[in-house]
Each structure stands twice: as C-alpha cells, then as structure tokens.
Amino acid sequence: MRLILLGPPGAGKGTQAKKLKEKFNIPQVSTGDILRDAIKNETELGNKAKAFMDEGRLVPDDIVVGLIKQRIVEVDCKNGFILDGFPRNMAQAEQLSETLEKLNQNISSVVEIEVNAEMLIDRLTGRMTCSSCGAMFHEKNHPPKISGICDSCGSDDLYKRPDDNKETIMKRFEVYEQETAPLKGFYRKMGILKTIGGDGSLEDVFIRVCELVT
Ligand code: AMP
C-alpha cells in the first residue's frame, strides 16, 4: 500500500499516519519530521531548511524531492509507505510520479482530510509534541494524563512547534491553498483521490481513513 495523506496544516495527517503505520506495518514518511530532525541536529540540510520553515514557506523542491527519492527506496519501504506532507506542489507531485514509474510502483490512494479553518487554528495553536517519541497532544482536547509528561514514553520534553504561531499558521494556510490544493485536481484525474471529513475524534477519523484504504 502506497498512500498519500493530503490536507491543510492541522488536518491530522501526522496523527493518522502514525496510526496507519501501526496497523499496516509500513513506514510513515514525513518530510516535515525529517526536516525538523535535521534542524535539531544542526545538519547542513537543517540549516538550509530552517528559515523557510520558520516563515511557513515551502522548502525548495530540489531538497525535499531529493529526500523522498532516497527515503522510498530504503528497505522498510519495500511493501509500501505513507507519505505525510509530501507532495506539497505540482512539481513535487510530478517528480514523485516519475520516480515511482521508474521503480515500477504506483500510489494506491490519496486521502484528503477536510477540516474547517476555525478547527484547524484551534488544533494547531494547542498542539504539543513529545520530542522523544513524537506522540502528539493538545492542551485542551487531548492533554497528557500528567501535565508536561508524555503518556507514551514518560519524557518531560513536550514542545510546541515554532511554526504553530498564529502568523506562521496563516502563511501556511495561504501556501496550502495556492500550492498544495491544486494537487486534488491532479489526483482526482488519476482516479485515486478520496476525501473524508477530519472532524470528530482521532479514532473516528481513523475509521473513515481505514474504510477508504482497505
Ligand atoms: P509539516 O510538518 O508537514 O507541517 O511541515 C512543516 C514545514 O516543513 C512546512 O511548513 C514547510 O516549510 C516544510 N515542508 C514539509 N514538507 C515539505 C514539502 N513537501 N515541500 C516543501 N516544504 C516542506
């Protein structure tokens, strides 16, 4: 199974990708996570990407496409993968199609998660992530059982993403509408676009996703 999760920032792509990864035993490939790791480790890639990410702009295509080309040929991707946050524009989508064609592979489904703007802002401004295991929480909607402590791994390092501030969020929405939303038409024409509502609990959404991909 080779899946693309599509949707605006805060739609729940990362959360659903983590659940899909567990259920289907295929890796989550998140360009955002790869880039954030690179920034944390102060690598050359991280240094190049940081300014773009801080401003809510897309990191240049050659960088992210290069990352994906390397990642999807790794052995754990042999039986499939879940792309979360890639592709983000038409050029990336076209390069992905070309790369997969050369590998004799194709995308099984593109699942678009739709959520209204008000809910997206609420989710993003309250979002917290565990820096050790990547588990995600929300200040109001899904707080950790013990304040500041990750339910999954016990780490006390829950952080708010620096790009989850109101100004950067608005920029990311604008980028999504201009650059990423056109991918819906691209994948609709290929007959693989499926759309679900992203409202409700993460379990509710997960049931909807699974109905579409199995
Ligand atoms: P995400 O974690 O998917 O919300 O991505 C966070 C930020 O990483 C984005 O706002 C971009 O700056 C950068 N990024 C992630 N994926 C891509 C991509 N496919 N193309 C360009 N930039 C990306």
Side-chain angles (χ1 to χ4, degrees):
M1 180 193 293
R2 293 182 197 88
L3 276 184
I4 294 176
L5 296 183
L6 196 63
K13 302 184 295 297
T15 307
Q16 295 301 323
K18 283 186 179 58
K19 289 179 77 69
L20 288 163
K21 165 183 155 180
E22 297 304 322
K23 182 171 168 91
F24 296 105
N25 202 21
I26 51 175
Q28 167 193 14
V29 177
S30 159
T31 37
D33 284 351
I34 297 172
L35 294 168
R36 274 184 290 279
D37 269 355
I39 291 177
K40 195 166 142 191
N41 296 324
E42 298 181 2
T43 65
E44 198 186 328
L45 168 67
N47 295 338
K48 281 188 195 156
K50 188 174 184 315
F52 294 97
M53 293 176 76
D54 284 348
E55 289 172 22
R57 291 186 293 142
L58 293 186
V59 172
D61 291 343
D62 56 337
I63 298 180
V64 279
V65 171
L67 283 178
I68 288 291
K69 280 186 178 173
Q70 280 178 16
R71 182 68 186 89
I72 64 176
V73 293
E74 282 177 30
V75 65
D76 62 331
C77 289
K78 210 171 66 164
N79 296 323
F81 47 76
I82 306 145
L83 292 181
D84 154 22
F86 183 93
R88 280 287 232 280
N89 61 23
M90 284 302 295
Q92 293 180 13
E94 279 160 4
Q95 294 207 52
L96 175 66
S97 292
E98 275 172 32
T99 305
L100 290 175
E101 204 172 310
K102 282 186 197 144
L103 295 169
N104 235 341
Q105 296 179 353
N106 54 10
I107 294 294
S108 343
S109 311
V110 178
V111 178
E112 180 206 0
I113 309 177
E114 270 188 346
V115 179
N116 71 48
E118 199 185 332
M119 199 183 287
L120 292 174
I121 292 172
D122 177 64
R123 283 185 183 177
L124 290 169
T125 49
R127 174 159 81 173
M128 291 181 298
T129 311
C130 171
S131 67
S132 295
C133 73
M136 294 168 91
F137 301 91
H138 187 280
E139 280 168 355
K140 282 184 293 170
N141 312 338
H142 176 45
K145 291 191 184 94
I146 303 169
S147 174
I149 306 289
C150 174
D151 293 355
S152 304
C153 75
S155 160
D156 62 359
D157 191 7
L158 300 185
Y159 74 99
K160 287 191 123 190
R161 278 174 46 173
D163 57 349
D164 278 347
N165 65 77
K166 196 80 186 271
E167 191 190 338
T168 314
I169 289 170
M170 297 323 281
K171 177 68 189 166
R172 287 157 65 203
F173 285 170
E174 189 188 311
V175 169
Y176 180 79
E177 283 310 320
Q178 285 177 0
E179 307 218 28
T180 313
L183 298 185
K184 292 185 232 174
F186 179 76
Y187 289 118
R188 191 176 293 117
K189 268 196 201 139
M190 288 169 67
I192 53 173
L193 182 76
K194 298 164 181 181
T195 302
I196 56 158
D199 53 316
S201 71
L202 53 101
E203 282 78 19
D204 291 340
V205 180
F206 189 56
I207 292 169
R208 289 175 210 144
V209 177
C210 290
E211 276 170 2
L212 288 186
V213 301
T214 47

